[in-house]
Amino acid sequence: MPRTCVFCQSGKPTREHALPAWISAELPGEEPFRFDQQGKQWLSRDAGKVVKAVCRSCNGGWLSVLETKAKPLLAPAIRGETQTFSVTEQHTIATWATKTALMCELARLVAPADFVSRPQHQHLFQHRQPAPGTHVGPVPIFV
Ligand SMILES: [Zn+2]
């Protein structure tokens, strides 16, 4: 795990959910989540694996603002409700997806692939948007 916040590079990392806790409540079904990570398998009632990579200031600041903007857009879509997103809303979702991909990579919920590189971390922090050329598409998080 990093010694300083992966975004601001200065704060001390604290525990942060790789996948936001609210997602667990939105996903359909009653079955526990199945995790398979580097040969280790387990079941959990929530998808909230934590990673120690983001400082309290980033987590409670700009990342909280991003989560607050993204949740009402994504929650109905996760529940299967048909959604139409404006360009601004698509931008918010792409930014949230980039941030979440980074957190899942750090939590090893996906194979390390450097799909979110160090310059992309910096760009996301400095500009609050994915770096130019970032492709946001479906990525298998759970195997
Ligand atoms: Zn930070």
Side-chain angles (χ1 to χ4, degrees):
M1 287 295 118
R3 292 181 171 200
T4 59
C5 175
V6 294
F7 292 112
C8 69
Q9 302 291 303
S10 61
K12 180 182 172 186
T14 59
R15 294 166 60 85
E16 155 77 356
H17 284 90
L19 285 172
W22 62 263
I23 286 180
S24 300
E26 299 298 340
L27 290 171
E30 300 294 324
E31 296 295 316
F33 295 94
R34 295 171 192 249
F35 290 88
D36 187 342
Q37 181 180 41
Q38 299 171 334
K40 182 181 172 188
Q41 300 169 344
W42 70 96
L43 301 176
S44 175
R45 282 283 167 205
D46 75 49
K49 185 168 188 222
V50 295
V51 60
K52 196 171 180 180
V54 177
C55 75
R56 190 174 311 277
S57 177
C58 284
N59 194 24
W62 72 278
L63 289 171
S64 178
V65 170
L66 176 60
E67 208 70 46
T68 299
K69 287 170 57 179
K71 181 182 175 184
L73 302 174
L74 292 168
I78 291 170
R79 291 191 300 265
E81 299 171 20
T82 301
Q83 299 290 301
T84 301
F85 300 114
S86 70
V87 170
T88 300
E89 291 169 336
Q90 291 174 40
H91 187 265
T92 296
I93 292 168
T95 303
W96 180 89
T98 301
K99 179 276 299 180
T100 302
L102 168 62
M103 301 308 292
C104 287
E105 186 177 40
L106 290 169
R108 300 292 190 242
L109 290 175
V110 294
D114 284 334
F115 56 78
V116 183
S117 68
R118 177 71 66 195
Q120 288 175 313
H121 302 174
Q122 297 303 303
H123 190 92
L124 188 60
F125 174 67
Q126 292 170 352
H127 303 283
R128 308 297 195 254
Q129 62 183 335
T134 300
H135 173 79
V136 176
V139 175
I141 293 175
F142 301 104
V143 178

